[in-house]
Amino acid sequence: MKLESIRLKNFKAFKEVRIDNIPKMCVFVGANGTGKTTLFNVFSFLKDALTENINVALTKLGGGRGFQEVRSRNSTGAIAIELKFRTDDRSPLVTYFLEINEQDSKPIIEKEILQYQRDRKSQDWRLLDFSQGKGLAVINEPDKNTDIKDLSREEYTLKSPDILALKGLAQFEKFPVAKAMGDLLENWHISDFHIQQARPEREAGYAEHLSKEGENLALVTQFLYNRHQDIFQKILEKLKQRVPGISQVDAKITEEGRVLLRFKDGDFQDPFLARYVSDGTIKMFAYLVLLYDPKPHPLLCVEEPENQLYPKLLYELAEEFRDYARKGGQVFVSTHSPDFLNGCELEEVFWLQKERGYTVVKRAKDDAQIAAYMSEGDKLGYLWRQGFFD
């Protein structure tokens, strides 16, 4: 699964933005308030729209004010989101387009399209085409047809014009394109790890994936230790390389049914509870747990991974993110750290800045001066620090 392109119109700070040729690892830099978090919010918005409806998604993102708060300030017309992706390197390019507007002060889906192109010469195969709760959907399996004329469509009416038509089609295995889009929106993950959330003892339970803020770190540690010993040992070896002295990590269940996360220093006999371990140790361990997940997320978004980490660790952390992307999960990272940027490649980095009140996105490799310095052996972090990203 790989996002190839994102286009936004009238979406908060993004008045009109298109990001093309997105790499497997994508790093966004920019001053505070330029829209890095908002870019990640596109996926949380779509996930809420898929699991609930557009009205709920707008209310959550707009702080209760809904459509008017999400639409770019001083703008008129619809909010539009377009994603282009491939399910694998050989699959056709898929386009999902969503346009949201208001009718009688209520949000509606003005247009929703899901289509793909089998090859560059053929016309688009439209699988979904809905407007205001009514439209056409392909009902036979498109992958088993070689001619667009063989597609069978039926007209449907949704119970409300603020519900995604994709929501229904994505539930069926026989519609692999719709299912892939649904899987992307349901299983993408944003990591905004809060160390203080990971320190306290937790009630015994079960968790396979690290949560957004990391409060279930002890439960995921227990899961990996019990079910995936090979992965757990790999995480431990990586942690030993990053944090001198750490010899063991485990999760112990107390008699009261609480889970304790414990770290053992090789110089001491008894392990330390998580609340006594340094912030950097816990955060590095949490990122390794996230990056060595047995079932990687199709899209992983990480906000400012540099916080609480020793600067020299960030170069290697950038490489860990890149390895995660190579294994199949696409990675978006926002950062302010020159040390992290020094571990990034030229084609991976984009920067956001405000022009006339709205966000524009530029690519480092398209800047002739930055590209020239990089070809001479310079590092992106040094260039960022010296102000070449203005």
Side-chain angles (χ1 to χ4, degrees):
M1 191 76 178
K2 180 177 180 292
L3 279 171
E4 299 277 351
S5 170
I6 299 173
R7 183 169 69 88
L8 304 173
K9 182 178 180 181
N10 291 337
F11 189 89
K12 294 184 80 68
F14 297 98
K15 173 69 173 175
E16 183 76 56
V17 163
R18 187 183 189 107
I19 309 172
D20 289 318
N21 301 315
I22 299 174
K24 288 286 284 182
M25 177 170 163
C26 196
V27 181
F28 297 95
V29 298
N32 291 330
T34 53
K36 298 186 296 298
T37 298
T38 300
L39 184 60
F40 291 178
N41 284 341
V42 171
F43 303 104
S44 57
F45 172 79
L46 289 173
K47 182 177 182 178
D48 289 336
L50 183 71
T51 56
E52 299 284 348
N53 57 50
I54 286 293
N55 197 15
V56 171
L58 288 168
T59 301
K60 284 185 178 181
L61 186 59
R65 294 187 60 194
F67 182 84
Q68 295 300 328
E69 183 64 25
V70 176
R71 183 167 62 181
S72 301
R73 296 183 184 278
N74 299 326
S75 297
T76 58
I79 298 169
I81 301 172
E82 182 186 82
L83 303 180
K84 292 181 181 290
F85 67 94
R86 299 182 191 274
T87 54
D88 57 56
D89 291 339
R90 298 180 179 179
S91 66
L93 185 66
V94 179
T95 300
Y96 181 70
F97 176 78
L98 182 65
E99 191 175 77
I100 305 156
N101 217 330
E102 272 195 323
Q103 189 176 79
D104 300 326
S105 299
K106 295 180 180 179
I108 61 166
I109 298 172
E110 188 71 49
K111 197 73 174 173
E112 182 184 11
I113 295 172
L114 179 67
Q115 63 188 27
Y116 73 95
Q117 194 174 32
R118 295 180 69 94
D119 55 66
R120 293 182 179 180
K121 297 181 180 180
S122 64
Q123 65 184 110
D124 291 328
W125 288 37
R126 190 159 292 188
L127 309 180
L128 276 179
D129 190 347
F130 273 71
S131 178
Q132 300 186 22
K134 298 180 180 180
L136 298 171
V138 169
I139 59 172
N140 58 341
E141 300 180 56
D143 282 3
K144 295 184 178 179
N145 294 289
T146 57
D147 193 324
I148 193 171
K149 297 177 182 179
D150 296 328
L151 296 180
S152 298
R153 294 181 175 86
E154 285 190 0
E155 188 171 353
Y156 292 93
T157 301
L158 303 173
K159 67 178 183 180
S160 175
D162 65 352
I163 296 175
L164 294 184
L166 177 69
K167 188 173 184 176
L169 217 60
Q171 308 304 313
F172 297 98
E173 292 285 350
K174 73 174 187 175
F175 301 119
V177 176
K179 185 177 182 300
M181 184 65 199
D183 287 344
L184 170 65
L185 298 183
E186 288 183 349
N187 297 311
W188 85 286
H189 180 78
I190 186 169
S191 175
D192 186 15
F193 185 75
H194 291 188
I195 291 172
Q196 298 309 318
Q197 292 285 350
R199 289 187 184 280
E201 302 172 8
R202 298 290 177 183
E203 296 290 340
Y206 181 82
E208 296 183 10
H209 305 285
L210 196 65
S211 60
K212 177 181 179 179
E213 297 185 356
E215 71 277 358
N216 66 347
L217 179 60
L219 296 177
V220 180
T221 301
Q222 184 184 20
F223 166 75
L224 292 173
Y225 182 82
N226 292 335
R227 302 283 187 89
H228 297 276
Q229 267 289 333
D230 56 334
I231 293 177
F232 185 81
Q233 289 303 317
K234 186 179 293 186
I235 292 172
L236 186 57
E237 290 302 316
K238 291 285 186 180
L239 187 67
K240 289 177 183 178
Q241 296 170 17
R242 307 287 196 278
V243 184
I246 295 294
S247 61
Q248 183 61 45
V249 182
D250 65 25
K252 179 184 178 182
I253 300 179
T254 68
E255 293 180 357
E256 295 80 18
R258 293 182 175 274
V259 179
L260 304 178
L261 184 60
R262 307 188 303 177
F263 295 78
K264 189 174 187 303
D265 190 311
D267 294 329
F268 299 92
Q269 183 175 357
D270 297 324
F272 297 95
L273 296 179
R275 62 175 176 267
Y276 300 123
V277 178
S278 72
D279 289 352
T281 298
I282 289 184
K283 189 161 189 178
M284 178 56 71
F285 177 68
Y287 278 148
L288 291 172
V289 167
L290 181 67
L291 294 171
Y292 285 88
D293 192 317
K295 294 182 179 179
H297 299 282
L299 175 62
L300 173 64
C301 297
V302 184
E303 293 196 84
E304 300 179 12
E306 64 269 16
N307 295 336
Q308 291 92 31
L309 288 181
Y310 188 54
K312 288 185 177 180
L313 295 176
L314 296 174
Y315 190 97
E316 293 181 347
L317 184 61
E319 183 59 36
E320 294 283 0
F321 284 127
R322 191 174 295 111
D323 284 343
Y324 184 93
R326 291 189 186 116
K327 290 184 288 187
Q330 197 165 12
V331 178
F332 284 11
V333 180
S334 69
T335 184
H336 293 119
S337 168
D339 297 286
F340 186 88
L341 279 174
N342 280 339
C344 299
E345 298 172 1
L346 181 63
E347 63 272 11
E348 294 172 342
V349 177
F350 298 76
W351 82 90
L352 283 62
Q353 64 184 53
K354 285 290 188 69
E355 292 184 0
R356 299 180 180 178
Y358 301 113
T359 297
V360 296
V361 181
K362 301 182 179 181
R363 192 165 193 164
K365 76 171 188 176
D366 294 335
D367 186 287
Q369 190 174 32
I370 292 175
Y373 277 122
M374 288 292 289
S375 67
E376 294 296 325
D378 216 325
K379 295 288 186 181
L380 286 166
Y382 300 143
L383 298 174
W384 165 256
R385 181 178 286 157
Q386 293 170 33
F388 285 96
F389 285 72
D390 291 336

